[in-house]
């Protein structure tokens, strides 16, 4: 079976559907990752499972999906930009239908650069919403005498995406939504440079060329594409975890008691190293692998089933 050619609109639909399904499935793990990475002094959570257990206990099941609406809204344009950019760069860099390894890396670099336009504000808003529960858990518990006093409890005000956006635009302008853009670029570009070439090479292992059909390669079976997507995603995710920790710390607006604030990437790197040691740069690495692997595995499932083509066929 020859490798099927997928139109750009179908690719965009596939990317959007895969993003929506993937985010819905793995968002709680991403929330745990953000909270673990932001821990500095007070260690509220001992690990991913402990974080999720305490979150459900204090905020309910849907507390694990705090900030998911932002991701679900912006993941489709983010995936669309990333996939379209990678597709365009690969076509431009190909010679006689062949793309060398350096071309694959460069195409991934271009895709990662383009997606930052959407990724940065999406991550900025998502992180504030995800980390609100951790900050609330750090608030001191009233003493017994205070608890016995007949005072009306003050409800905890939970931030909203619209409220955070309005406040950032009012106080810092559009640049407020793009805080940490440099760190986001520093994370996403290496990720794409690792993921796209690694996936492409894993996906062609053991495939034979079909002679007489333009010498195209046979389509990989679903299990191979799925495993290639999961493997490449996990490797890329873990490789850039230190950069993700720096990005998360820089984009977090509200800090807990005794937690550092940072003036930039270099200052953040230096302070984390001095105060928490090199192991702090790997906080949330397991969570990232568990988030990214299913995301790209689901994406390969959507492509294999041809969801985009089915949608276009129904609309046509």
């Amino acid at each position: 079976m020859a490798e099927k050619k997928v139109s750009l609109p179908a690719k965009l639909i596939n990317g959007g559907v895969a993003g929506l399904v993937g985010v819905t499935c793995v968002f709680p793990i991403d929330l745990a990752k953000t909270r673990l990475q932001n821990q500095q002094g007070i260690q509220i959570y001992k690990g991913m499972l402990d974080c999720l257990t305490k979150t459900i206990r204090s905020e309910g099941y849907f507390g694990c999906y705090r900030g998911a609406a932002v991701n679900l809204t912006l993941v489709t344009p983010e995936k669309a930009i990333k996939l379209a950019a990678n597709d365009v760069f690969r076509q431009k860099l190909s010679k006689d239908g062949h793309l060398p390894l350096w071309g694959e890396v460069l195409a991934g670099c271009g895709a990662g650069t383009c997606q930052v336009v959407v990724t940065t504000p999406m991550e900025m808003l998502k992180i504030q919403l995800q980390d609100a529960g951790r900050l609330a858990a750090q608030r001191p518990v009233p003493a017994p005498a205070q608890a016995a006093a007949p005072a009306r409890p003050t409800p905890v005000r939970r931030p909203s995406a619209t409220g955070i956006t309005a406040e950032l635009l009012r106080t810092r302008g559009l640049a407020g939504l793009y805080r940490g853009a440099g760190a986001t670029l520093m994370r996403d570009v290496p990720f794409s440079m690792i993921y796209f070439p690694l996936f492409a090479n894993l996906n062609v292992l053991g495939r034979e060329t079909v002679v007489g059909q333009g010498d195209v390669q046979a389509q990989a079976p679903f299990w191979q594409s799925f495993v290639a997507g999961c493997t490449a995603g996990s490797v890329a995710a873990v490789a850039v975890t230190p950069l993700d920790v720096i990005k998360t710390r820089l984009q977090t607006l509200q800090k807990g008691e005794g937690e550092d604030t940072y003036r930039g990437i270099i200052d953040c790197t230096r302070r984390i190293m001095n105060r928490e040691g090199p192991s702090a740069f790997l906080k949330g690495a397991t969570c990232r692998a568990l988030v990214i692997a299913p995301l790209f595995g689901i994406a390969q499932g959507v492509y294999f089933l041809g969801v985009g083509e089915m949608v276009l066929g129904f609309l046509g």
Side-chain angles (χ1 to χ4, degrees):
M1 182 178 179
E3 183 76 51
K4 62 180 180 180
K5 297 293 183 180
V6 183
S7 66
L8 183 57
K11 284 185 177 181
L12 300 185
I13 294 173
N14 285 333
V17 171
L20 292 172
V21 175
V23 167
T24 303
C25 293
V26 302
F27 192 83
I29 303 176
D30 187 67
L31 178 135
K33 183 232 30 155
T34 298
R35 294 187 177 185
L36 289 171
Q37 286 182 341
N38 267 331
Q39 286 192 137
Q40 294 184 39
I42 304 174
Q43 299 295 308
I44 301 175
Y45 311 113
K46 298 176 182 178
M48 180 185 70
L49 293 178
D50 183 55
C51 178
L52 292 175
T53 301
K54 289 179 178 177
T55 299
I56 293 172
R57 190 181 302 153
S58 60
E59 303 173 55
Y61 173 75
F62 290 105
C64 293
Y65 282 88
R66 198 164 304 283
V70 174
N71 251 33
L72 291 172
T73 302
L74 296 178
V75 71
T76 298
E78 182 206 26
K79 295 295 182 188
I81 292 172
K82 185 172 188 172
L83 292 169
N86 184 65
D87 199 50
V88 170
F89 285 123
R90 288 179 73 91
Q91 289 178 0
K92 296 293 185 184
L93 294 170
S94 296
K95 293 183 178 180
D96 300 324
H98 175 69
L99 184 65
L101 179 61
W102 65 265
E104 293 180 353
V105 173
L106 202 56
C109 175
T113 303
C114 293
Q115 79 173 74
V116 170
V117 175
V118 176
T119 303
T120 303
M122 178 181 76
E123 292 276 320
M124 183 72 182
L125 297 174
K126 183 196 72 172
I127 287 171
Q128 316 315 315
L129 298 171
Q130 287 181 327
D131 204 41
R134 183 187 69 89
L135 295 174
Q138 283 188 358
R139 294 191 181 98
V141 178
Q146 293 176 319
R152 178 178 295 181
T154 303
V156 178
R157 183 183 176 186
R158 298 195 180 279
S160 66
T162 53
I164 295 171
T165 303
E167 181 65 17
L168 285 172
L169 291 175
R170 184 180 65 81
T171 58
R172 308 184 188 187
L174 188 61
L177 286 174
Y178 282 88
R179 173 172 171 165
T184 305
L185 194 68
M186 193 173 68
R187 179 200 67 173
D188 288 350
V189 169
F191 178 92
S192 295
M193 290 172 69
I194 295 170
Y195 172 78
F196 283 113
L198 182 56
F199 169 75
N201 284 277
L202 289 174
N203 202 38
V204 299
L205 288 177
R207 290 161 62 183
E208 297 179 354
T209 300
V210 181
V211 182
Q213 299 183 22
D215 290 344
V216 296
Q217 286 182 314
Q219 183 181 358
F222 169 71
W223 68 265
Q224 182 175 352
S225 293
F226 182 83
V227 172
C230 290
T231 303
S234 297
V235 171
V238 173
V240 302
T241 295
L243 305 174
D244 187 60
V245 172
I246 295 170
K247 182 200 74 69
T248 300
R249 294 283 182 93
L250 287 174
Q251 288 189 316
T252 302
L253 297 174
Q254 299 294 326
K255 301 290 186 179
E257 185 178 353
E259 293 181 349
D260 279 337
T261 55
Y262 310 104
R263 294 190 297 271
I265 294 172
I266 296 176
D267 180 58
C268 179
T269 304
R270 180 178 57 81
R271 285 173 179 263
I272 292 175
M273 179 65 75
N274 291 340
R275 288 196 57 177
E276 303 170 63
S279 62
F281 290 105
L282 290 177
K283 284 184 176 180
T286 302
C287 293
R288 273 186 61 77
L290 292 175
V291 167
I292 300 298
L295 275 177
F296 285 94
I298 290 169
Q300 293 310 316
V302 171
Y303 280 109
F304 187 84
L305 294 172
V307 174
E309 295 90 321
M310 287 190 288
V311 171
L312 291 176
F314 177 78
L315 295 176

